Amino acid sequence: MNLVTLLPFIVLIGAMFLMTRSAKNKQRQAAQMRDQMQPGTGVRTIGGMYATVKEVSEDSVLLEVAPGVHAIYAKNSIGAVLPDEEYNRIIHGIEGSDEAPAVPDDISSLTEGGEAAAAGEKKIDLGKETAPEDAETKDAKAEKPADGPKDAKKDDGSDAK
């Protein structure tokens, strides 16, 4: 066989090898993460439930879903083992000391007396305003009497059809 005819098969086998290799790496990392679980660790299940680990056995985990409420889950159902800071922030609303400034609920706190006023910048009004000259010309047109009867044919009686 010619090398040119074998080239697509070689590329296909190489792509399959790379895909399975990355999948195996992800599985290995997930297994390492699940092995790091200890009692008292905060976790998120693959269903999105947050809980605290109470006991870890070979294939299952006892989770405390709420105070006094326990559930047994398979180890494979643990989606993420969370750091204590992140778990406390999500569950208890405890914010860390080195967090970003809070985002305001409405835009008015950003515009009233903000940096634009401190810098002395003039606000731009995007509303439609008529200049005094335009207002006078509109008033003059309104007061001007019409000359003769109004007719749709002002082009010497010719029809534009």
Side-chain angles (χ1 to χ4, degrees):
M1 285 187 107
N2 192 357
L3 183 64
V4 175
T5 57
L6 290 177
L7 188 61
F9 293 114
I10 294 171
V11 170
L12 183 64
I13 291 171
M16 289 174 50
F17 172 74
L18 290 176
M19 284 190 271
T20 57
R21 182 175 164 207
S22 66
K24 285 181 183 179
N25 282 338
K26 287 181 184 179
Q27 288 177 350
R28 183 179 43 81
Q29 288 174 351
Q32 285 178 347
M33 174 207 49
R34 291 183 186 111
D35 290 338
Q36 293 175 354
M37 285 189 297
Q38 299 173 358
T41 307
V43 295
R44 181 180 63 233
T45 65
I46 57 174
M49 183 178 67
Y50 293 92
T52 305
V53 176
K54 287 297 179 182
E55 291 179 16
V56 179
S57 60
E58 190 173 326
D59 292 334
S60 63
V61 180
L62 179 66
L63 299 179
E64 185 176 26
V65 181
V69 179
H70 296 86
I72 297 174
Y73 280 80
K75 264 190 174 179
N76 290 339
S77 67
I78 304 301
V81 177
L82 303 172
D84 289 336
E85 295 172 357
E86 183 178 357
Y87 183 76
N88 288 332
R89 180 183 58 82
I90 292 170
I91 299 300
H92 305 294
I94 300 171
E95 300 293 335
S97 61
D98 54 15
E99 66 181 71
V103 177
D105 291 338
D106 60 347
I107 191 84
S108 64
S109 62
L110 295 175
T111 58
E112 294 174 359
E115 295 175 8
E121 295 178 8
K122 182 180 176 183
K123 291 186 177 181
I124 300 173
D125 184 21
L126 299 177
K128 185 175 181 181
E129 292 185 19
T130 57
E133 300 167 0
D134 293 339
E136 291 174 7
T137 56
K138 287 181 181 178
D139 291 338
K141 288 180 183 178
E143 293 175 5
K144 183 178 176 182
D147 295 334
K150 293 185 178 181
D151 189 11
K153 300 178 184 176
K154 292 189 177 189
D155 55 348
D156 298 330
S158 64
D159 288 335
K161 290 186 181 179

